[in-house]
Amino acid sequence: MPFGNFFKQILKLKGLNFLLETFLIVKGLVLFLLAASLCLYGAPAQILTFVFCLWSYPAYHYCQSDLLDMQYCFMQFTFEKIQGARITYSGDKIDFEESAVVFSNHQSSADLFMIGALSNKVSMAGRSRYFMKDSIKYIPIFGWGLWMTGQFFLKRNWSEDKGLINRTFERIIRFKLPVWVISYPEGTRLSPEKKKESQEFSASRGLPPYENVLYPRTKGLVATIQAFRNSHIHYVYDVTIAYRKGPSSDGFGKTLGAFQHYYCNRLSPEYRYHIHVDKFLIDELPTDDKQLSEWLIKRFQCKDLLLESLKSQKWTNILPESCHLRDSPL
């Protein structure tokens, strides 16, 4: 809902409802301003640590990671403790401070909280580096800060992006830096329009249509996995994120945006969140680019199966064995 209409609806309320909604708005503003202040206060420190890059890139990486970790920890504390989001987990066990290539389905801006929850539990939140649109780095303060932390900014032109990515990866490998390299191969969030386009594309390839994910763009992720072969990064994490509002299957996939989570009452039990992790050794994955691309496409077929099961069954009470269900990844 646009914020103009949102506040108009608030003004129509009376009595206790008006007071409650006003309280939620004030609480949301306070939480948001606290998060924003962390970014603002962290900006001078980021600029100061930037000089480390002149003599020691590892020192620069660790300083920026520590600053990021402080910001992510506050975000997760707000999301899980103050707002009461209850997240359940399933899948393979992931180890403390273990570097990995991570890919996930993409449904909402709230995915940041979900990846943050997973990485925070194994002390990798501040060491997470995302692939992002190049235009984001030009946003004053926010975008500049992300650029300084070493996020991967893409113009979505492979001939231009390839050289920059390889140079960045080369430094990570040379200094054996602890990192999660995170990407969303779908390239955009799931929506009815994008879902239709994806299904049409799948049909043109003779593939079954996806119901809960989009057809993945595999070129960048294939290049990423291949780049880290024979390096200190030994694993690929296939992360599947699921949301649900209410007990009905009609609420499957529905959640609030990242910003809206600040302006609400307790999230759970109305909103439910689940993270499933499948972990693979890079050395056991296909070495041929085409075969690796086909493997990734099959992983998204598995994601679709898993999400369909969560939607049609009783949430996380029943999960398909074909998706490598374990007790908990943590």
Side-chain angles (χ1 to χ4, degrees):
M1 177 185 295
F3 282 106
N5 292 337
F6 175 73
F7 286 113
K8 287 179 182 178
Q9 293 295 323
I10 296 301
L11 292 174
K12 291 180 181 179
L13 297 174
K14 297 180 180 179
L16 291 176
N17 287 335
F18 177 80
L19 291 175
L20 175 61
E21 294 298 332
T22 302
F23 168 75
L24 292 177
I25 291 174
V26 172
K27 183 188 74 169
L29 283 171
V30 170
L31 293 174
F32 176 75
L33 289 173
L34 283 172
S37 66
L38 278 176
C39 295
L40 289 173
Y41 284 121
Q46 283 187 300
I47 295 171
L48 289 173
T49 59
F50 192 70
V51 300
F52 289 156
C53 189
L54 300 176
W55 63 276
S56 174
Y57 185 79
Y60 170 72
H61 174 85
Y62 284 110
C63 288
Q64 293 289 345
S65 295
D66 287 343
L67 290 169
L68 259 182
D69 191 63
M70 176 181 66
Q71 295 166 2
Y72 279 136
C73 284
F74 177 78
M75 287 173 54
Q76 290 306 127
F77 178 80
T78 301
F79 181 62
E80 297 184 54
K81 302 301 181 183
I82 297 179
Q83 299 299 86
R86 182 177 178 269
I87 304 172
T88 53
Y89 300 87
S90 63
D92 291 324
K93 183 180 184 298
I94 59 176
D95 293 326
F96 189 72
E97 295 187 343
E98 181 176 75
S99 294
V101 174
V102 182
F103 69 94
S104 172
N105 58 317
H106 194 18
Q107 300 187 67
S108 164
S109 57
D111 295 348
L112 179 65
F113 288 120
M114 304 297 280
I115 298 293
L118 190 64
S119 61
N120 195 44
K121 288 182 179 294
V122 291
S123 195
M124 291 298 287
R127 297 168 183 176
S128 298
R129 300 295 185 267
Y130 288 81
F131 286 97
M132 300 181 177
K133 294 179 183 177
D134 187 68
S135 57
I136 292 176
K137 71 182 180 185
Y138 299 107
I139 300 174
I141 301 177
F142 175 74
W144 303 340
L146 288 174
W147 175 76
M148 294 181 71
T149 60
Q151 307 298 325
F152 310 117
F153 292 97
L154 304 178
K155 295 180 179 178
R156 294 191 175 178
N157 183 324
W158 184 242
S159 60
E160 296 183 42
D161 294 332
K162 186 176 181 180
L164 176 63
I165 290 173
N166 287 339
R167 287 193 298 273
T168 306
F169 287 174
E170 189 275 331
R171 285 187 292 190
I172 292 173
I173 294 169
R174 186 184 356 141
F175 297 115
K176 297 183 179 180
L177 301 175
V179 68
W180 273 18
V181 180
I182 304 169
S183 65
Y184 299 109
E186 294 161 293
T188 188
R189 299 173 197 169
L190 180 68
S191 68
E193 296 77 17
K194 295 297 182 181
K195 177 181 173 180
K196 182 180 178 182
E197 293 176 10
S198 174
Q199 290 179 336
E200 290 173 352
F201 183 80
S202 296
S204 70
R205 294 288 184 96
L207 297 171
Y210 297 133
E211 291 296 328
N212 306 286
V213 295
L214 303 178
Y215 192 91
R217 303 174 182 181
T218 61
K219 182 182 289 185
L221 185 53
V222 166
T224 300
I225 294 172
Q226 300 289 40
F228 287 111
R229 285 190 187 275
N230 304 314
S231 73
H232 66 292
I233 299 179
H234 303 301
Y235 295 100
V236 172
Y237 298 164
D238 175 3
V239 177
T240 303
I241 296 170
Y243 301 104
R244 190 179 191 128
K245 180 182 179 182
S248 170
S249 60
D250 293 337
F252 186 79
K254 293 182 179 179
T255 189
L256 299 171
F259 185 76
Q260 290 174 302
H261 278 96
Y262 292 110
Y263 295 90
C264 63
N265 207 339
R266 299 282 292 181
L267 291 166
S268 297
E270 181 180 11
Y271 289 95
R272 305 192 212 179
Y273 307 85
H274 187 73
I275 302 172
H276 181 84
V277 182
D278 284 309
K279 176 178 171 180
F280 301 90
L281 266 171
I282 290 180
D283 288 345
E284 295 179 356
L285 300 182
T287 56
D288 177 74
D289 284 358
K290 183 178 179 182
Q291 292 179 351
L292 185 55
S293 176
E294 291 172 351
W295 176 82
L296 290 168
I297 291 170
K298 289 180 180 177
R299 292 310 308 162
F300 270 80
Q301 291 173 346
C302 185
K303 284 181 183 294
D304 195 44
L305 173 65
L306 171 60
L307 291 167
E308 189 63 31
S309 177
L310 290 172
K311 178 168 61 176
S312 59
Q313 304 295 338
K314 296 179 180 179
W315 189 231
T316 57
N317 294 348
I318 301 175
L319 289 171
E321 293 182 1
S322 57
C323 287
H324 310 287
L325 176 64
R326 318 285 189 259
D327 293 329
S328 172
L330 302 170

